[in-house]
Amino acid sequence: MAPQPSPRRLRIGVDVGGTNTDGVILDPSLASSSPSKGILAHIKTATTPNPSDGIMTAITSMFTQLEATHAANIRSEDAISSVTIGTTHFVNAVIERDPSRLSRVAVLRLSGPFSKHVPPCVDWPDDMRSLILGYHARVKGGLEVDGSLISDIDEFEIVEQCKEIRRRGGIKAVVINGVFSPIDTVYRQEERAAEIVRRELGGQGEVDVVCSKEVANLGFLERENAAVLNASILRFARRTIREFRQAVGRLGLKGVPVFITQNDGTILKGEKAAELPIKTFSSGPTNSMRGAAFLVQGQERDGKKEGQGQGEAMMVVDIGGTTTDVGLLLPNGFPRQQAAYSELAGVRMNFSCPDIKSIGLGGGSIVRKGKNGITIGPESVGYRINEEALLFGGSTLTTTDCTVLANPGITSIGNASLVKDALTEEETQQFKAIVRSKIEKIIDNMKTSPEDLPAILVGGGAVIAPDELQGASKVLKPRWSEVANAIGAAIARVSSVVDTIKSTETKTEKQFLEEIKKDAIERTIAAGASPESVEVVEVEMLPLQYVENKTRFVVRAAGDFDFTRSYMSSDDDEKASSEEEAVGEDLSEPQTVTDTKPKAATPSEVNVLTYTPSVLNRIWHISETDLTFISTGCYILGTGGGGSPYASMILLRQLLRSGASVRVVSPADVPDSAAVGCGCGAGSPTVSIEKLQGDEMMQAQTELYKALSSSSDQNQNNKATHMIALEIGGGNGLQGMTLGASSNMDIPCVDGDWMGRAYPTKWQTTPVVFNERSPIWSPIAVADGNGNVLVMPKAASDAAVEKIIRAALSQMGSQVGAADPPVRGAEMKRWVVENTVSQAWRLGRAVARARAMNRLDEVAETIVEECGGGQKGVAAKVLFKGKIVGVRRTLRMGHVYGECIIEGTDVTDDTTSTTNDGRRTRGRRGGQGVAGEEKEDFTGKRIKIPFKNENIAAIRIPAGDGFKDDENKELEKQEDVLAIVPDLISVIDAQSGEAVGTPEYRYGLLVIVIGIAASDKWTGSQRGIDLGGPKAFGFDHLKYEPLGKFVKPVCAIYEAYLLSKTG
């Protein structure tokens, strides 16, 4: 006899928001066959102080609805297969800094000698760090990128640290974070360390232990940050989820599994969510997007056969009372995720979050009439719309008022007669044009290709949106859209992600990919998915530069939950008694904590519009504000390469906070007899985000000077009197200052470098261009920070130095500190690219000022002006503005080669109004920028940017063109070149003003491409153009034509010195 189907088929979805708690009871078997979409009951009710009460109220009300309509053939309690809850409760505890819900945490790093200068929570807000971080220590452990050991863990060390944690008292959780732990499947260092900690401190659930690899993926600091927040909220999460289960149990739903939705649109079993509450922080927008897609299933597939492909991407536009939130639902059914990093409550993390963009447009947005026409928002009456809007007898004109006036067919909202004369006919048309323009722009900004996509409008304010939108193949306003988030919770799936690095020396990428896909599928089934429903929905392969035969694989699999399995009852996994929980009984009254200790001024507290650097006796004393500016500028000057300066900036900031002084001097003030040393990091950016710098930079310097002390070469001095950066671009732009800090070599850093940008090889430096002696880069010393040092006393050429050091890299952890021999001051003055620290400072200041004035729409033009010393369009140009629509990468000889395709579009934000003739004008919130000038329209155009670690060129391509294989590829034409090396081609994020590195190129990113004229140290000779120009990158068919005239950057030291004299 065939097995009988389970009588439990209905799913309950509940979404607990800050204002409302939404609920739905859904029968999935009717989803595609019934006009009701299987929705049997739904509700929207006010969120209660204790969310469990609101959940009970919502479910009880829906049971009443359900039994009233299905009393003859259904009993609610017996029909429910699951209850899935989306909640903001956990994230609110973090945002509110509630000490009654957040526990003190200790951090044990398995990192050996690495990360010693960057302690845990170093980049947190002061109040968050003091509230949560109770203790931290480094012990032996960690892996290299190839999976070999930095060192194994030492049990005695860990036991001693446990004694210290116990002695300090009050610590309720311990985070274990190991270098490259996400790829550690052999040594299991974090797991072994966790077992020791549990044995020493665990007792009766006394201390929670969190392995960082269970929380997030590659990115040491960001993974640690996420793990610490997760650990801090564990006890509160367990209690909250137990209360959710108890509430469900009191409704008679004994044995019904309770799930919590997570950030990517999938579910966690209650007990798993209690271990990983951080993965639920951003689930609300995801639930709304997936619920919206469910409501329109079938409608978006016009012209397609059922089962054909995975569907198509869809825009979900959620219009509330104050904002419009837009996300992109990918063809695989999951929301597009943010770039590598996200931020919550000032804490930078790398766990997955949906990519949501918001604008100040909602049903309660305030409409104003002025001499320049209509303006809308961003101010809103919000939840007071029923009191303040004209339709309800209020005195404030809102978008809902204007929508009812413009659409006489809408009769269900308020009293239409009250808005009869609110707008003239001309103003009404203008209002409609502005609303349409705002929504169309944000939709276009979220799209990843020029093709029109379906747009689904949900939320209580969706009535204000038009029925047709440019860029949308169709506009859908489904029924039940007001509870789309609860529907999304009810239909959530199960998924697993495998993020690992493999050596392709013995197997091909294709073979590894198949193995990793299988692993992802098995993990998804283990997480609760039915085997027949699981499929791979996302695949990404990233070759690692400077790491031989290594590729990073990221694979996601997803499937429907298997409700035929048996699960624990709602309280089986609750092992700790209520007395052992570190939270109070009352969940309704959060407390906030503020740091009452006096603080030094931080960059966020400094007035960036008036700030000037501290210069005494022509010596620039670097402050944290200066460092922030310089770091931002270094990444812009990195032209896509050089690695993010973030970790280097944090390290140098720690030195400043520890009392170190950092000095910068003008090249002109360096004596001719001085010895100008140089140091840099070399290796893979992927390694640098995981294996944080130890002492390898200083170790290399020490070993170099040992070698020099025995050298008979009269060109070499035994000890440096000054330091200079090898390249100003990327993380190396800060190394000269770090080495010269008073806590290290205690010597000033020169305001300049040997590249004026970033280049992929050491022989692409200005001393090699001048070729006054060769080789220039030997002797050289490199250190890996783990006891291994390579000293190269002699070399045949600078190219040989590059080849040999690169060959050694893979055996030294793919990341080393390098020390270069000092040059005489007189040589430095001839070879240096001058004032590049000042240039980086100015570019970073331009970005900071644009943010302060809310003028990021003009940040590119401001950067261009800074590069020209106040002369517009002379030394730099805005080459293009648009959206990345294609990225392709490959690894050759340790370098990542690739192409990025950008399609022209409007990348500005939404602060626009529309005049009577349809022209858009920019709203100003203070200050004067460079607006008002006629700007080029890039819409409909395309460019490609080839790169070899760094960007090589910006080249026009026909609209619609994409990637071509080598056989069909046509050579680029000279007339299509917008800019080419040695000129700088920099890509910046149009939404933040920050530089975008080539590893961060991704589909849909809105960017601005800037070209900056190269230093005359490169362009002043044919040798410079040969070494740094097109031929050096294999573009022999193109010639270098300068995009403008180089203008030497203005020295910040000299400018501040003059101000001090005249002030």
Side-chain angles (χ1 to χ4, degrees):
M1 177 181 291
Q4 294 296 311
S6 170
R8 293 182 182 270
R9 67 179 187 275
L10 306 185
R11 302 184 194 177
I12 294 178
V14 179
D15 189 89
V16 183
T19 303
N20 294 309
T21 294
D22 301 335
V24 67
I25 297 179
L26 186 146
D27 185 345
S29 66
L30 301 177
S32 59
S33 61
S34 168
S36 69
K37 301 291 184 183
I39 298 169
L40 307 181
H42 67 284
I43 190 172
K44 181 182 286 287
T45 184
T47 294
T48 53
N50 187 327
S52 298
D53 296 337
I55 292 170
M56 287 187 64
T57 298
I59 295 177
T60 300
S61 177
M62 290 191 295
F63 278 171
T64 302
Q65 296 178 41
L66 187 63
E67 291 171 350
T69 54
H70 297 82
N73 57 14
I74 196 168
R75 183 171 179 269
S76 303
E77 294 85 347
D78 296 333
I80 305 302
S81 63
S82 66
V83 176
T84 304
I85 300 170
T87 178
T88 60
H89 212 46
F90 304 140
V91 69
N92 288 346
V94 174
I95 293 173
E96 292 164 358
R97 269 86 157 163
D98 184 356
S100 70
R101 306 182 188 196
L102 301 175
S103 302
R104 299 277 282 173
V105 179
V107 178
L108 293 183
R109 286 181 170 177
L110 313 180
S111 59
F114 300 103
S115 79
K116 65 184 295 184
H117 302 294
V118 183
C121 307
V122 66
D123 52 353
W124 288 32
D126 291 343
D127 58 342
M128 284 283 285
R129 183 173 56 253
S130 62
L131 175 64
I132 292 177
L133 184 63
Y135 179 72
H136 63 88
R138 283 183 302 110
V139 296
K140 291 175 183 171
L143 270 62
E144 301 286 7
V145 67
D146 61 0
S148 63
L149 287 171
I150 292 174
S151 61
D152 203 359
I153 63 172
D154 183 326
E155 182 174 348
F156 176 77
E157 267 191 322
I158 297 171
V159 170
E160 290 300 303
Q161 293 302 330
C162 288
K163 290 178 182 178
E164 179 63 22
I165 291 170
R166 185 183 294 278
R167 186 189 69 79
R168 289 178 177 247
I171 292 174
K172 299 300 182 182
V174 178
V175 167
I176 311 291
N177 186 24
V179 176
F180 277 113
S181 63
I183 67 170
D184 181 11
T185 58
V186 176
Y187 301 101
R188 300 180 66 253
Q189 289 190 339
E190 283 193 355
E191 294 90 336
R192 288 160 52 209
E195 290 171 5
I196 297 169
V197 174
R198 290 191 185 100
R199 184 190 71 205
E200 298 295 317
L201 298 177
Q204 299 296 314
E206 181 181 346
V207 171
D208 291 307
V209 183
V210 174
C211 294
S212 74
K213 64 191 291 185
E214 300 297 327
V215 179
N217 293 315
L218 295 176
F220 188 86
L221 270 183
E222 293 78 13
R223 181 176 69 252
E224 182 177 80
N225 288 345
V228 171
L229 278 186
N230 187 76
S232 181
I233 206 170
L234 279 177
R235 295 187 168 223
F236 173 61
R238 278 200 301 271
R239 181 177 186 83
T240 301
I241 291 173
R242 184 170 65 231
E243 291 201 355
F244 286 173
R245 285 175 150 169
Q246 290 170 349
V248 170
R250 287 195 293 271
L251 292 169
L253 303 178
K254 294 292 184 181
V256 173
V258 175
F259 302 104
I260 308 297
T261 59
Q262 57 179 337
N263 306 325
D264 64 358
T266 59
I267 55 175
L268 291 169
K269 288 185 286 187
E271 59 269 25
K272 194 66 177 177
E275 296 173 5
L276 295 168
I278 197 168
K279 293 196 172 183
T280 72
F281 278 14
S282 301
S283 64
T286 305
N287 290 340
S288 180
M289 293 172 66
R290 287 183 53 78
F294 172 84
L295 290 174
V296 300
Q297 61 184 349
Q299 298 179 52
E300 84 287 0
R301 302 180 66 89
D302 290 353
K304 295 185 179 182
K305 295 180 180 178
E306 199 64 37
Q308 179 183 1
Q310 289 184 311
E312 64 177 316
M314 292 179 285
M315 307 299 306
V316 178
V317 183
D318 189 347
I319 305 178
T322 302
T323 63
T324 294
D325 303 323
V326 179
L328 179 66
L329 203 65
L330 299 172
N332 62 18
F334 291 94
R336 184 175 75 191
Q337 299 297 294
Q338 284 184 357
Y341 304 113
S342 57
E343 191 171 290
L344 174 71
V347 177
R348 175 177 157 118
M349 296 176 287
N350 66 340
F351 67 88
S352 184
C353 285
D355 186 8
I356 303 294
K357 286 184 170 55
S358 300
I359 57 172
L361 175 68
S365 294
I366 297 173
V367 179
R368 294 183 174 89
K369 297 186 287 183
K371 60 181 181 180
N372 293 325
I374 292 289
T375 61
I376 300 176
E379 298 83 5
S380 170
V381 298
Y383 65 88
R384 302 185 307 276
I385 189 170
N386 290 340
E387 304 168 8
E388 298 191 17
L390 300 184
L391 282 165
F392 302 101
S395 58
T396 304
L397 183 64
T398 68
T399 51
T400 301
D401 297 323
C402 298
T403 300
V404 170
L405 175 63
N407 300 274
I410 300 176
T411 59
S412 59
I413 303 176
N415 184 350
S417 65
L418 297 177
V419 297
K420 183 178 180 182
D421 299 318
L423 298 176
T424 66
E425 178 60 29
E426 185 179 18
E427 290 170 337
T428 300
Q429 294 305 314
Q430 188 182 5
F431 164 79
K432 293 167 69 174
I434 294 173
V435 170
R436 177 187 296 274
S437 171
K438 284 177 175 284
I439 298 175
E440 286 177 346
K441 178 181 287 188
I442 195 170
I443 286 176
D444 184 66
N445 286 351
M446 286 296 291
K447 288 166 62 179
T448 60
S449 70
E451 289 78 24
D452 289 350
L453 296 175
I456 312 169
L457 301 182
V458 299
V463 66
I464 71 172
D467 294 330
E468 293 183 358
L469 292 166
Q470 183 178 351
S473 58
K474 62 180 68 177
V475 176
L476 305 170
K477 296 182 179 180
R479 184 184 175 193
W480 300 294
S481 64
E482 69 274 14
V483 291
N485 44 9
I487 294 169
I491 64 167
R493 305 178 82 197
V494 182
S495 78
S496 288
V497 177
V498 178
D499 185 342
T500 188
I501 294 172
K502 296 290 185 182
S503 171
T504 54
E505 198 168 11
T506 57
K507 291 183 180 180
T508 65
E509 287 185 345
K510 185 176 181 181
Q511 289 172 319
F512 271 122
L513 184 59
E514 291 305 313
E515 292 179 5
I516 295 167
K517 284 181 178 179
K518 183 179 178 182
D519 185 20
I521 289 171
E522 290 174 351
R523 292 191 190 192
T524 305
I525 294 171
S530 59
E532 65 277 7
S533 70
V534 179
E535 59 184 341
V536 173
V537 296
E538 184 179 328
V539 172
E540 189 172 16
M541 294 187 295
L542 300 169
L544 304 188
Q545 60 201 73
Y546 306 132
V547 184
E548 189 175 2
N549 300 317
K550 292 291 189 298
T551 298
R552 181 179 178 185
F553 297 84
V554 183
V555 176
R556 178 194 296 271
D560 298 324
F561 199 85
D562 186 353
F563 290 103
T564 64
R565 304 188 197 180
S566 58
Y567 292 93
M568 297 182 296
S569 61
S570 60
D571 57 358
D572 282 348
D573 68 323
E574 301 297 338
K575 299 176 182 178
S577 65
S578 58
E579 289 78 19
E580 293 168 333
E581 293 294 338
V583 291
E585 292 292 328
D586 185 7
L587 302 181
S588 63
E589 295 296 332
Q591 304 171 20
T592 57
V593 63
T594 56
D595 189 355
T596 57
K597 295 181 295 183
K599 305 178 203 173
T602 64
S604 60
E605 297 167 337
V606 169
N607 185 341
V608 298
L609 303 180
T610 58
Y611 174 82
T612 56
S614 173
V615 176
L616 300 173
N617 298 320
R618 297 181 64 88
I619 298 175
W620 182 2
H621 295 267
I622 299 297
S623 69
E624 285 192 36
T625 300
D626 296 326
L627 177 59
T628 301
F629 292 170
I630 294 167
S631 178
T632 299
C634 282
Y635 211 15
I636 293 172
L637 294 173
T639 64
S644 170
Y646 183 75
S648 298
M649 183 273 290
I650 292 296
L651 187 154
L652 187 50
R653 191 178 71 183
Q654 276 302 104
L655 296 183
L656 291 173
R657 290 182 175 181
S658 299
S661 63
V662 176
R663 295 163 290 159
V664 175
V665 296
S666 168
D669 292 336
V670 176
D672 288 350
S673 59
V676 182
C678 183
C680 66
S684 169
T686 302
V687 176
S688 68
I689 66 171
E690 187 65 31
K691 192 170 71 172
L692 302 185
Q693 188 174 317
D695 289 330
E696 59 267 30
M697 297 293 294
M698 280 301 299
Q699 287 171 0
Q701 294 288 331
T702 300
E703 296 299 328
L704 173 69
Y705 290 109
K706 285 181 183 178
L708 290 177
S709 65
S710 59
S711 173
S712 60
D713 189 344
Q714 296 303 309
N715 286 316
Q716 306 294 346
N717 295 53
N718 289 338
K719 188 176 181 181
T721 60
H722 297 72
M723 290 302 295
I724 191 170
L726 177 79
E727 55 185 347
I728 193 63
N732 274 332
L734 303 179
Q735 295 298 349
M737 290 181 286
T738 302
L739 288 167
S742 61
S743 53
N744 288 324
M745 299 177 74
D746 195 17
I747 54 179
C749 177
V750 175
D751 186 1
D753 73 302
W754 298 136
M755 292 186 184
R757 47 168 298 147
Y759 268 124
T761 60
K762 205 173 186 72
W763 49 263
Q764 289 175 306
T765 48
T766 51
V768 179
V769 171
F770 277 77
N771 200 31
E772 294 179 8
R773 52 187 172 92
S774 180
I776 191 71
W777 299 129
S778 71
I780 185 172
V782 297
D784 68 356
N786 199 29
N788 299 305
V789 176
L790 172 66
V791 179
M792 191 174 173
K794 296 183 72 175
S797 66
D798 292 305
V801 173
E802 172 76 20
K803 289 178 181 178
I804 292 168
I805 298 302
R806 292 293 176 201
L809 260 178
S810 62
Q811 301 302 316
M812 300 180 76
S814 298
Q815 179 177 285
V816 297
D820 300 316
V823 303
R824 292 189 296 273
E827 292 176 317
M828 180 274 295
K829 293 176 183 178
R830 293 195 299 273
W831 304 340
V832 67
V833 182
E834 297 176 83
N835 304 339
T836 51
V837 175
S838 292
Q839 184 179 24
W841 182 87
R842 291 181 183 282
L843 299 185
R845 184 184 63 172
V847 174
R849 285 180 167 179
R851 288 175 182 157
M853 296 188 296
N854 293 318
R855 300 305 306 161
L856 279 171
D857 59 300
E858 293 177 351
V859 68
E861 287 76 14
T862 307
I863 289 172
V864 164
E865 189 171 348
E866 287 286 2
C867 291
Q871 303 175 64
K872 301 173 186 176
V874 174
K877 294 179 180 178
V878 176
L879 301 176
F880 206 75
K881 296 183 179 183
K883 177 171 52 184
I884 295 178
V885 295
V887 183
R888 182 171 63 177
R889 298 180 177 91
T890 187
L891 188 67
R892 297 201 299 269
M893 300 297 291
H895 300 288
V896 173
Y897 289 76
E899 286 184 345
C900 173
I901 295 178
I902 305 173
E903 181 175 78
T905 190
D906 185 357
V907 300
T908 53
D909 63 26
D910 76 298
T911 55
T912 59
S913 61
T914 304
T915 60
N916 293 339
D917 59 2
R919 291 183 293 106
R920 288 176 179 172
T921 60
R922 306 296 305 172
R924 289 193 176 276
R925 298 177 186 157
Q928 293 294 319
V930 292
E933 300 175 2
E934 197 66 32
K935 299 176 184 177
E936 183 177 351
D937 183 8
F938 300 102
T939 305
K941 302 174 184 177
R942 278 194 175 194
I943 66 167
K944 71 174 181 179
I945 298 178
F947 54 85
K948 175 188 175 184
N949 296 358
E950 286 80 25
N951 300 319
I952 299 169
I955 302 171
R956 280 187 294 257
I957 59 174
D961 250 21
F963 299 120
K964 297 178 180 179
D965 56 41
D966 292 337
E967 292 181 2
N968 299 319
K969 194 171 183 179
E970 298 178 359
L971 291 177
E972 296 85 358
K973 298 177 181 178
Q974 186 68 40
E975 60 265 28
D976 291 329
V977 175
L978 299 174
I980 197 164
V981 286
D983 286 343
L984 288 69
I985 297 97
S986 298
V987 177
I988 65 172
D989 186 329
Q991 307 299 304
S992 69
E994 297 278 353
V996 181
T998 56
E1000 298 151 11
Y1001 290 167
R1002 65 176 178 85
Y1003 296 95
L1005 193 65
L1006 295 172
V1007 297
I1008 302 171
V1009 184
I1010 297 173
I1012 303 173
S1015 165
D1016 53 7
K1017 299 293 171 70
W1018 287 102
T1019 62
S1021 69
Q1022 188 58 47
R1023 178 175 172 82
I1025 294 172
D1026 288 344
L1027 288 174
K1031 288 183 180 180
F1033 294 90
F1035 284 76
D1036 300 55
H1037 57 289
L1038 297 177
K1039 66 178 181 178
Y1040 170 67
E1041 293 180 352
L1043 65 82
K1045 180 182 178 182
F1046 172 70
V1047 175
K1048 186 170 77 172
V1050 177
C1051 179
I1053 301 169
Y1054 183 64
E1055 182 181 21
Y1057 177 77
L1058 289 180
L1059 285 173
S1060 68
K1061 290 297 184 183
T1062 58

